[in-house]
């Protein structure tokens, strides 16, 4: 089984999947799944095509990442995870103003934080995930008022099948007006 955990940068993917990884390792009643932090793989294996100087980020080689993932099971965490085959896709969401604050706190530029907040308000990652995988495989999780353990709880429910698919329940369009 492969579960993709995706979302706009700053929604809490890495923090929540780190907690989920601990649970998967410690609890024999949970599936034995590896957590794959795809951005770390991209860095370690050099699976990018160029560096976008304006955005201060690497441009992922999606074909090379797909090849690297081939045959691997687990929980795949990245803002790109929804671009790859998965049995379930958890899309983490966060209210855009809070998302912008989180990104600024971790040192992102104002321009990058604003771009990501706008992307979140426009449901970009959610829309891509639904288009790629269909409504029946997408699980939308609002992280805005959840602590990391609460987000990990929701992810655990996705992994174990104890949560129903959901998409389109979170609406941040008001941010744009």
């Amino acid at each position: 089984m492969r579960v993709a955990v995706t979302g706009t940068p700053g929604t809490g993917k890495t923090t929540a999947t780190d907690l989920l990884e601990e649970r998967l390792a410690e609890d024999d009643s949970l599936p034995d799944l590896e957590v794959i932090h795809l951005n770390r793989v991209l860095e370690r294996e050099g699976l990018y095509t160029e560096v976008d100087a304006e955005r201060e980020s690497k441009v992922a080689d999606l074909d090379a990442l797909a090849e690297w993932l081939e045959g691997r099971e687990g929980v795949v965490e990245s803002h790109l995870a929804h671009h790859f085959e998965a049995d379930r896709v958890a899309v983490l969401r966060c209210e855009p103003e809070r998302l912008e604050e989180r990104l600024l706190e971790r040192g992102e530029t104002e321009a990058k934080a604003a771009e990501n907040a706008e992307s979140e308000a426009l449901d970009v990652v959610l829309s891509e995930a639904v288009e790629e995988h269909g409504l029946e495989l997408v699980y939308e999780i609002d992280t805005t008022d959840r602590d990391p353990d609460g987000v990990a709880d929701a992810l655990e429910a996705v992994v174990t099948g104890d949560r129903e698919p959901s998409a389109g329940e979170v609406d941040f369009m008001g941010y744009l007006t």
Side-chain angles (χ1 to χ4, degrees):
M1 175 171 61
R2 185 183 297 165
V3 177
V5 177
T6 190
T8 305
T11 55
K13 298 175 300 297
T14 303
T15 302
T17 54
D18 283 346
L19 292 169
L20 180 63
E21 185 172 31
E22 291 173 14
R23 295 176 185 191
L24 293 171
E26 295 170 0
D27 189 338
D28 292 336
S29 70
L30 295 175
D32 184 21
L33 294 173
E34 171 188 14
V35 173
I36 301 166
H37 295 285
L38 205 54
N39 294 355
R40 294 177 191 165
V41 172
L42 180 143
E43 286 284 338
R44 185 178 66 240
E45 303 292 329
L47 302 178
Y48 54 92
T49 56
E50 63 182 298
V51 176
D52 182 335
E54 185 177 318
R55 288 201 168 109
E56 299 177 1
S57 63
K58 294 179 173 70
V59 178
D61 184 337
L62 296 179
D63 292 333
L65 285 167
E67 187 176 315
W68 188 91
L69 283 168
E70 195 170 314
R72 286 183 163 88
E73 293 189 345
V75 176
V76 179
E77 176 270 324
S78 170
H79 68 288
L80 302 171
H82 60 284
H83 291 294
F84 305 101
E85 290 182 24
D87 300 295
R88 298 177 186 142
V89 180
V91 180
L92 303 191
R93 306 294 309 278
C94 182
E95 191 280 320
E97 287 181 12
R98 179 89 54 89
L99 180 76
E100 199 167 356
E101 289 170 13
R102 289 179 184 179
L103 292 171
L104 291 170
E105 285 172 8
R106 74 180 197 194
E108 298 293 351
T109 65
E110 286 189 27
K112 193 168 190 175
E115 178 183 5
N116 281 303
E118 183 175 305
S119 174
E120 182 68 358
L122 292 170
D123 301 335
V124 171
V125 174
L126 177 68
S127 297
E128 290 174 353
V130 168
E131 183 176 321
E132 180 79 24
H133 298 279
L135 284 168
E136 65 279 359
L137 298 181
V138 175
Y139 302 75
E140 187 177 32
I141 300 168
D142 187 351
T143 67
T144 305
D145 294 320
R146 285 192 171 133
D147 66 12
D149 279 315
V151 178
D153 290 343
L155 288 176
E156 183 180 317
V158 170
V159 168
T160 60
D162 292 332
R163 182 184 175 114
E164 292 296 317
S166 60
E169 296 177 359
V170 178
D171 180 6
F172 296 132
M173 289 298 287
Y175 172 79
L176 299 172
T177 58

